[in-house]
Amino acid sequence: MKKILAFTLVFSLVIGLTGIAFAETKITFWHSMHREHKEALEDITAAFEEANPEVDVELVDQGGYGELSQKLTTSAAAGKLPTASQQYEDWTIQYVNADLMQPLDEVVSQELIDDLPEALVNSGTFHDKLYALPFNKSAMVLFYNTDLIDEPPATWGELLEISAELTKDTNNDGEIDQYGFGLRPTPELFSLFFHQAGGKFLNEDKTELLIDSEEGIEALTYMKDLREYSLYQTGYLSGPFGSGKVAMYIGSSAGAPYVDSACEGNHGWDTAPLPDGPANGDSMIQGTNVGVFTVGNTQAQVNAGVDFIQFMIKDKWTIDWAKRTGYIPVRKSALDSEEWQKYLDENPRYRAMTQMMREGFVYPHHPDWYSVRNIFGNILEKTMLGKGEPKELLEEGAKTFAEKYG
Amino acid sequence: MSMRKVFFKVFTYLLLLLLVSAVLLPFYWMVVTSLKPPGEVNVIPPKWIPSKPFWQNYVRAWHAAPFGRYFINSFFISVMTTIGEVVTTILAAYAFAKMDFFGKKVLFLSLLGLMMFPGQLRLIPNFMLASNLGWTDTYQILIIPWIASIFGIFLLRQYFKTIPDELWDAAQLDGCNRFRYLWTVVVPLSKPGIITVALFKFVGSWNAFLWVLIMTNKTSMRTIPVGLAVFRSEAGTHFGELMAASTMAVLPILIIFFLAQKQFIQGVARSGIK
């Protein structure tokens, strides 16, 4: 009888312990990735699950970024957040302010943080703490038509010159058929030129918008000059670039697959680092980060979530991701790696993008930045349509900011 | 026919033709874009006819997301909500139009008042309710909240009001009760109104986006409009494929509209009293 009892005890203990060892932690990851991007993400996830058999990751496709943001807002209100998700900086700062997120400084190795390009650390840092790791990141580059341009412009001056040369009325009907540059009045384009002119967006306590500065006027005046030789349109420029209507434009490297399909059968294309401005030739880094939510999750889930977002950007996976999607690896060690360098030799178009990733900057973090940036869009549009002078429009913009967000 | 009459007719037809083309142009553009190879989608001047139909868009679009499942879901949810709403609406509208009861006016006005609250305002409370009921990711949450509609009740009430009370008096003399009178007399006489309500509902359910997005996480529970988001990304939109998927999504609605239109005209022709 005793034997049986002892056996039962040991047996149940063993079963119990195995149970604990294999207790599955289920985490959810919300994303907006589709097609090739989604497949690449699924492969990363499968590899993570294989390496961590105790964790089960459920990927949830929430449609586009707008929809993802809506879902996160609703779920945050109901306290039903996923374990981790993709997020833009101006979403993250709201979650951080509402105390919904896991700070990463203490749980992620310093080695990893040191391995991220500076702009990407800035992108994930809020109130001096790291809350998000970079994931799908792209940089602005210059796209140019290789049938028309041998040597891409290296400075603002050259960009203007080449644009002027290539703006032509080829069939003499009085209408311009080919433009040197394509200009889409996005807040990001203004911000890029503003930064390259040496401008600083906000004061220390983020109560003043500093665009009504010499740098602001210089950037906007330059863009106004460039407008003379530009196709001005609000839609994506990959179309007119592909059809040959536009010889150059500045856009996100993530647009490369669209450019490629638009140019197919029409003309050759390549990318170049951005022309240098008066202060620098930095590129704007775009794309989302990934962060972990504490609300609605157990400690085990939070831990697994942190492991997962670190796994996603291991050298092997950030390179695999970049190769399959057109984004750029997010770690210095990955950018330097033999594998990526070899890929660049085979795909020289990615060279400029890789360089730009190291020389990048991101927007300052402000909870209302999504609406603040519309001020830039308005200023740019008004300037381009001749509805005001740069100086007065910039002053007006700074005033609007002071009234609404100051 | 006098010259004046001919002129008037020509003018009328020209005007109608103009209006029809204004309505048809977006449809035409959708179908044509869905047949363009990627290089031709954005060219200026625009191409009105693709150089060669690019059917590949349809194949790619179909495989970009589980559209088969989305179609089944959209269809099932639209049919169920439409049936549900037609039944509840007929009953409520009849009560408001033809019966007297305590607080009828107040109740009706409060219902109309409820229409003033925008849907966005109710979204978060609704989501919390659904998630506390454990109804997220279920067909219940996609169907049950939508089987009553104030707009539908209002529309049918106005319709029922036009039916003369003499018919009810006559029916009573023949020993007919209210329920039977409603289904055998009022409903057949109100076919156009009921079909209008059903059409609105079906199209509304078919196009519903935000509710489905918020209430579901599983791919297996989602519908076509949510599926269409896969063609957009931060760097651009696959217009050819988006339009191919949109064309496929619109087809069932078009078919139903044409079928219902026939019914609609018959309904008008049959409604005995003018």
Side-chain angles (χ1 to χ4, degrees):
Chain A
M1 188 62 198
K2 251 188 186 171
K3 251 188 187 169
I4 294 175
L5 202 73
F7 178 77
T8 323
L9 202 73
V10 170
F11 186 75
S12 47
L13 210 71
V14 168
I15 293 285
L17 283 177
T18 358
I20 290 166
F22 284 96
E24 273 215 341
T25 307
K26 203 175 164 196
I27 63 170
T28 44
F29 181 78
W30 286 7
H31 66 90
S32 285
M33 298 286 98
H34 304 114
R35 312 162 161 236
E36 299 85 10
H37 300 191
K38 192 177 187 172
E39 284 163 23
L41 177 61
E42 282 166 354
D43 287 351
I44 296 175
T45 309
F48 174 77
E49 285 175 329
E50 207 183 307
N52 302 272
E54 73 287 359
V55 182
D56 181 22
V57 184
E58 190 194 350
L59 295 177
V60 182
D61 176 355
Q62 298 293 17
Y65 287 122
E67 288 85 53
L68 176 60
S69 164
Q70 271 175 331
K71 281 284 298 196
L72 286 169
T73 308
T74 323
S75 311
K80 307 262 177 189
L81 283 162
T83 316
S85 80
Q86 282 186 288
Q87 45 197 266
Y88 277 111
E89 291 95 339
D90 51 334
W91 311 355
T92 313
I93 192 165
Q94 295 178 30
Y95 311 144
V96 169
N97 289 346
D99 207 14
L100 302 172
M101 294 199 61
Q102 167 70 38
L104 300 174
D105 307 80
E106 301 113 44
V107 289
V108 165
S109 73
Q110 189 59 38
E111 199 189 334
L112 191 159
I113 299 174
D114 290 341
D115 197 25
L116 300 173
E118 195 192 337
L120 299 187
V121 177
N122 292 340
S123 162
T125 305
F126 303 82
H127 307 310
D128 299 323
K129 273 192 186 168
L130 187 71
Y131 280 96
L133 295 177
F135 174 50
N136 56 324
K137 289 295 189 182
S138 59
M140 282 191 181
V141 287
L142 181 81
F143 290 90
Y144 69 98
N145 182 333
T146 48
D147 291 10
L148 298 171
I149 300 165
D150 293 327
E151 192 65 37
T155 62
W156 278 20
E158 287 178 27
L159 177 63
L160 201 61
E161 239 169 71
I162 298 180
S163 297
E165 271 169 37
L166 292 174
T167 302
K168 289 175 189 162
D169 171 11
T170 45
N171 56 5
N172 290 319
D173 64 350
E175 271 180 42
I176 294 169
D177 312 288
Q178 176 186 299
Y179 291 90
F181 194 71
L183 205 154
R184 191 170 163 228
T186 60
E188 284 65 38
L189 196 68
F190 168 78
S191 306
L192 177 77
F193 282 102
F194 177 63
H195 176 90
Q196 289 193 341
K200 197 167 164 277
F201 290 94
L202 294 171
N203 64 348
E204 275 309 311
D205 51 4
K206 300 184 179 177
T207 51
E208 272 178 61
L209 190 63
L210 306 175
I211 49 171
D212 54 338
S213 53
E214 268 175 42
E215 293 84 6
I217 295 170
E218 185 170 14
L220 202 52
T221 312
Y222 175 76
M223 294 178 88
K224 204 177 160 190
D225 294 342
L226 192 58
R227 159 86 169 92
E228 295 294 311
Y229 314 112
S230 298
L231 173 74
Y232 175 79
Q233 71 163 41
T234 48
Y236 289 109
L237 286 159
S238 49
F241 177 73
S243 68
K245 181 121 185 161
V246 160
M248 293 180 281
Y249 83 97
I250 289 174
S252 158
S253 56
Y258 297 88
V259 170
D260 203 33
S261 71
C263 292
E264 210 181 307
N266 296 339
H267 60 79
W269 67 278
D270 203 351
T271 61
L274 295 178
D276 283 330
N280 59 61
D282 291 355
S283 171
M284 178 178 257
I285 306 293
Q286 295 172 302
T288 70
N289 297 319
V290 285
V292 175
F293 295 102
T294 47
V295 170
N297 288 288
T298 63
Q299 190 58 47
Q301 286 175 313
V302 170
N303 295 344
V306 172
D307 289 345
F308 180 54
I309 62 170
Q310 289 187 79
F311 186 90
M312 288 167 83
I313 57 165
K314 275 179 183 255
D315 278 4
K316 174 178 165 35
W317 292 111
T318 191
I319 291 173
D320 177 76
W321 169 255
K323 282 185 182 175
R324 292 169 68 176
T325 60
Y327 287 104
I328 306 168
V330 294
R331 292 173 75 148
K332 291 184 215 161
S333 52
L335 293 170
D336 291 333
S337 69
E338 215 171 282
E339 194 187 350
W340 184 250
Q341 290 302 324
K342 202 177 137 221
Y343 183 72
L344 291 184
D345 289 338
E346 290 155 13
N347 303 276
R349 283 167 184 163
Y350 281 86
R351 207 169 276 286
M353 303 177 189
T354 303
Q355 185 188 332
M356 289 287 95
M357 182 55 98
R358 294 171 197 266
E359 301 165 12
F361 73 98
V362 289
Y363 272 138
H365 297 154
H366 187 288
D368 297 309
W369 195 257
Y370 190 75
S371 353
V372 173
R373 44 192 270 300
N374 289 335
I375 298 178
F376 307 157
N378 282 335
I379 293 174
L380 186 56
E381 224 172 309
K382 280 189 182 158
T383 312
M384 295 297 135
L385 299 174
K387 288 185 182 165
E389 283 308 304
K391 191 171 184 310
E392 63 188 55
L393 288 170
L394 289 163
E395 278 168 6
E396 206 178 288
K399 224 174 104 192
T400 311
F401 180 88
E403 280 164 13
K404 284 193 182 164
Y405 315 102
Chain B
M1 244 191 303
S2 71
M3 269 310 276
R4 215 175 129 197
K5 266 191 177 164
V6 171
F7 177 77
F8 188 70
K9 251 205 164 143
V10 168
F11 179 77
T12 313
Y13 275 96
L14 274 180
L15 191 73
L16 283 177
L17 214 64
L18 198 76
L19 289 175
V20 164
S21 46
V23 172
L24 281 184
L25 189 66
F27 278 97
Y28 175 77
W29 197 245
M30 174 178 77
V31 176
V32 163
T33 307
S34 76
L35 291 172
K36 284 180 186 171
E40 286 181 18
V41 169
N42 271 317
V43 289
I44 300 166
K47 281 207 165 193
W48 290 94
I49 298 163
S51 54
K52 203 178 140 209
F54 190 72
W55 295 104
Q56 202 56 24
N57 281 335
Y58 281 83
V59 182
R60 285 193 204 161
W62 185 261
H63 291 291
F67 276 105
R69 179 77 199 193
Y70 291 164
F71 261 94
I72 293 173
N73 284 346
S74 282
F75 195 75
F76 178 65
I77 292 165
S78 302
V79 168
M80 293 313 279
T81 51
T82 305
I83 292 174
E85 182 184 313
V86 165
V87 172
T88 60
T89 304
I90 288 174
L91 295 174
Y94 181 77
F96 279 122
K98 294 291 179 191
M99 289 165 82
D100 283 318
F101 54 89
F102 176 73
K104 175 170 143 179
K105 244 190 172 157
V106 176
L107 197 62
F108 190 64
L109 286 176
S110 352
L111 272 185
L112 290 187
L114 279 177
M115 284 177 81
M116 309 290 169
F117 290 97
Q120 284 81 353
L121 196 70
R122 304 185 304 250
L123 200 61
I124 290 175
N126 274 333
F127 175 69
M128 290 164 89
L129 186 68
S131 98
N132 289 337
L133 283 172
W135 276 20
T136 48
D137 275 325
T138 61
Y139 283 116
Q140 290 100 286
I141 197 65
L142 300 178
I143 295 170
I144 291 174
W146 295 100
I147 58 171
S149 146
I150 301 172
F151 172 71
I153 294 172
F154 177 70
L155 198 95
L156 270 196
R157 172 185 172 265
Q158 302 308 101
Y159 211 92
F160 288 173
K161 275 191 152 235
T162 61
I163 297 172
D165 285 332
E166 286 79 5
L167 286 177
W168 170 229
D169 296 341
Q172 265 178 314
L173 285 180
D174 291 337
C176 182
N177 65 16
R178 282 220 183 253
F179 198 69
R180 190 160 164 219
Y181 170 70
L182 174 60
W183 293 111
T184 50
V185 180
V186 177
V187 168
L189 285 179
S190 311
K191 243 185 178 176
I194 294 168
I195 286 173
T196 309
V197 167
L199 262 185
F200 268 116
K201 187 51 160 205
F202 195 90
V203 174
S205 283
W206 191 262
N207 291 335
F209 174 74
L210 198 57
W211 184 267
V212 184
L213 176 77
I214 297 295
M215 295 302 170
T216 62
N217 282 323
K218 288 198 184 110
T219 312
S220 61
M221 292 308 299
R222 293 205 156 153
T223 56
I224 299 171
V226 181
L228 292 179
V230 306
F231 301 103
R232 287 181 282 124
S233 84
E234 63 197 329
T237 302
H238 294 274
F239 277 110
E241 293 167 42
L242 176 62
M243 291 304 147
S246 305
T247 306
M248 292 191 279
V250 161
L251 268 185
I253 288 274
L254 270 186
I255 293 170
I256 284 171
F257 183 77
F258 284 130
L259 291 178
Q261 199 188 27
K262 203 176 149 203
Q263 281 281 349
F264 193 85
I265 293 164
Q266 276 181 359
V268 176
R270 275 189 202 151
S271 60
I273 303 162
K274 274 276 156 207

